Amino acid sequence: MGIKDKALAFSRKFKLDSHHAIERFGVFFGIFAVTGAIVITGSGAAALKAGNDALTQTALYTTEFKTSKTNLDGTVDGVYTNKSGDKALVMMHFNASAQISYNATDYRAFLLGSDTSLNSEPVSTGGIKGSFHVFGSTGYVGVLLDADKSFERQVLNLTVRATAELTTPGPEQTKGPDKLAGDETFSKYDQWRVFFNPGASGVKKIAALDALTFDPAQAYYEVALKEKETEARNALDQKLVEMRTNLTQIQSYTSDLETTKVDGLFLRPPSVPASIASDKVTGVSVAEAKNGVSTLALQTKHVVSGGFDLNWRAGNVYDGYLETLVPAGQTYAQFFAKKRDESSDLTGQQISDMQWILSDGSSLAKDYQSSDVTMRPLMNVMNNLSQAYQNYAKNKSEC
């Protein structure tokens, strides 16, 4: 059994693992962080067994946990350090709806050391100071450790204790982590345990820990939001690719109006809704760009109702978009209330109401039946062009 398998088995044995909920994040967020005290000690319960190779490479041994009294499930997002390796951040989160305290002073943390034989020993790295951070109502919490030198390669046992229980304790566990680990504090207090090795080569580095002053908002962005933002950007890029394809189809089907005739009759170009009439998608996609960076952008004179006129490529969630979005003289609340109250976009209905007039002045949609075999070529052109407009309008409303 490999070291990772042993670690997972250990977590299951001590009931430190559980299924976790997928968190949802918006593009805009508010973050509040407060700092509490952390207690550093050199003795306590034994940590999990690891070989020399694991101590060199493995940074995180516990990926999930459960609070000992209230039975709340939590996830360990990772352990992160700065470039010099003398700062470490352990980020964890509960479900955003979990009833936990948002005040960092309601938590205490204890840092223990151990050897590879599961025997307690002092923490190898000296001069460690710590702080506990709560990231508003997001469900995220973190422990920041600041050492005098780079962290030694050692498995550390971090026990976090919640001194304020906001959830009714669940059924008593007959084989809870307190009894198996020989630590009765898990029965007395609501707490959980995480095993990690900040000195391992596999630890992740984040810029937030290289700053002179720790910025919780930046750390939260790098750990919790940056990946989600990248996924959102990729989705927007894909939507722009689809919209560009829709516009190409519209151009092609519009050309068919001139070349498709039945008994000398042809369709005149319909009057296109102003909300999409002059739209263009400029730039190149990731696949087309030599440097692999997309520059696709929508050029439009009409912003979909409830949407935003925003150059999202020029910013990010951490720096914020609100200063760019909100007009002068309006508060954020007023701006979003106005957006919320905007009426539904009518482009789709306007496309459905487009008039399809033949060269003799008659209406293809009203004066002919869809079953008319003779007029089928013109019907196909009309349906193709109408559908391309509808597809474009739908994609634009989602972009």
Side-chain angles (χ1 to χ4, degrees):
M1 179 181 294
I3 186 61
K4 291 185 177 179
D5 294 332
K6 291 181 180 179
L8 291 175
F10 180 87
S11 296
R12 288 193 293 270
K13 181 179 179 182
F14 285 83
K15 295 191 176 181
L16 298 173
D17 64 328
S18 62
H19 295 290
H20 59 281
I22 298 175
E23 305 296 326
R24 297 182 299 175
F25 300 95
V27 174
F28 304 104
F29 72 98
I31 180 169
F32 304 92
V34 283
T35 304
I38 186 169
V39 180
I40 309 297
T41 180
S43 62
L48 92 111
K49 187 175 182 180
N52 290 333
D53 289 342
L55 281 178
T56 300
Q57 301 175 6
T58 306
L60 186 65
Y61 295 86
T62 307
T63 58
E64 298 172 334
F65 60 85
K66 183 188 289 288
T67 56
S68 60
K69 292 185 67 177
T70 54
N71 292 323
L72 293 177
D73 294 330
T75 300
V76 184
D77 298 271
V79 54
Y80 308 87
T81 65
N82 57 349
K83 292 179 181 178
S84 59
D86 57 3
K87 289 183 180 179
L89 175 67
V90 182
M91 283 287 279
M92 302 159 277
H93 74 264
F94 296 89
N95 187 304
S97 62
Q99 295 178 346
I100 64 172
S101 173
Y102 302 143
N103 188 345
T105 60
D106 288 332
Y107 298 89
R108 296 185 71 196
F110 304 87
L111 189 64
L112 316 171
S114 70
D115 61 19
T116 57
S117 298
L118 307 182
N119 298 313
S120 296
E121 65 177 19
V123 176
S124 298
T125 306
I128 300 178
K129 297 179 181 179
S131 56
F132 194 91
H133 299 265
V134 177
F135 298 84
S137 59
T138 64
Y140 277 76
V141 297
V143 173
L144 177 64
L145 303 176
D146 193 340
D148 289 340
K149 61 178 183 177
S150 298
F151 281 93
E152 300 287 345
R153 289 170 179 169
Q154 179 187 29
V155 178
L156 299 179
N157 175 347
L158 177 68
T159 299
V160 181
R161 177 180 301 169
T163 59
E165 295 177 20
L166 303 185
T167 302
T168 302
E172 183 177 356
Q173 303 177 40
T174 57
K175 290 185 178 181
D178 52 305
K179 296 176 182 178
L180 289 173
D183 188 345
E184 295 301 325
T185 62
F186 280 80
S187 294
K188 185 176 181 180
Y189 302 103
D190 195 29
Q191 54 192 39
W192 69 92
R193 179 176 289 159
V194 174
F195 296 91
F196 65 101
N197 176 11
S201 60
V203 72
K204 298 179 182 178
K205 294 178 173 59
I206 57 174
L209 296 180
D210 285 311
L212 294 177
T213 303
F214 178 65
D215 182 358
Q218 183 181 2
Y220 177 68
Y221 168 71
E222 292 189 66
V223 173
L225 293 181
K226 191 172 184 178
E227 183 177 347
K228 297 294 182 181
E229 183 179 33
T230 298
E231 293 175 359
R233 287 173 177 269
N234 291 339
L236 288 171
D237 260 325
Q238 181 58 39
K239 191 63 65 176
L240 286 170
V241 170
E242 294 176 14
M243 291 169 64
R244 187 176 63 175
T245 299
N246 297 148
L247 291 176
T248 300
Q249 292 172 335
I250 289 172
Q251 184 178 15
S252 176
Y253 295 144
T254 300
S255 298
D256 289 344
L257 296 178
E258 301 177 0
T259 59
T260 305
K261 297 182 180 180
V262 173
D263 294 334
L265 293 176
F266 59 90
L267 275 168
R268 294 172 179 170
S271 178
V272 182
S275 57
I276 60 174
S278 60
D279 283 9
K280 296 179 181 179
V281 175
T282 60
V284 295
S285 66
V286 171
E288 298 163 341
K290 293 182 180 180
N291 60 357
V293 177
S294 174
T295 59
L296 291 178
L298 172 63
Q299 306 295 327
T300 183
K301 296 180 181 179
H302 173 79
V303 179
V304 175
S305 297
F308 304 92
D309 183 10
L310 172 67
N311 178 14
W312 47 269
R313 294 194 191 278
N316 57 62
V317 172
Y318 173 60
D319 293 329
Y321 295 105
L322 293 180
E323 295 295 334
T324 302
L325 281 175
V326 181
Q330 285 189 28
T331 65
Y332 298 158
Q334 290 171 336
F335 175 71
F336 285 112
K338 183 179 180 181
K339 281 294 179 182
R340 180 195 60 204
D341 295 338
E342 287 183 355
S343 59
S344 301
D345 193 81
L346 302 177
T347 303
Q349 185 59 49
Q350 291 171 349
I351 293 173
S352 298
D353 295 338
M354 286 169 59
Q355 299 298 308
W356 299 92
I357 306 302
L358 292 167
S359 53
D360 65 354
S362 61
S363 171
L364 179 61
K366 296 179 180 179
D367 298 332
Y368 295 89
Q369 299 294 323
S370 59
S371 58
D372 191 326
V373 176
T374 303
M375 304 301 290
R376 184 167 296 171
L378 294 177
M379 291 283 186
N380 288 339
V381 173
M382 176 185 69
N383 291 334
N384 288 340
L385 184 53
S386 178
Q387 187 61 55
Y389 276 123
Q390 289 285 7
N391 291 342
Y392 176 78
K394 180 177 182 294
N395 283 330
K396 181 179 180 180
S397 68
E398 297 173 351
C399 186

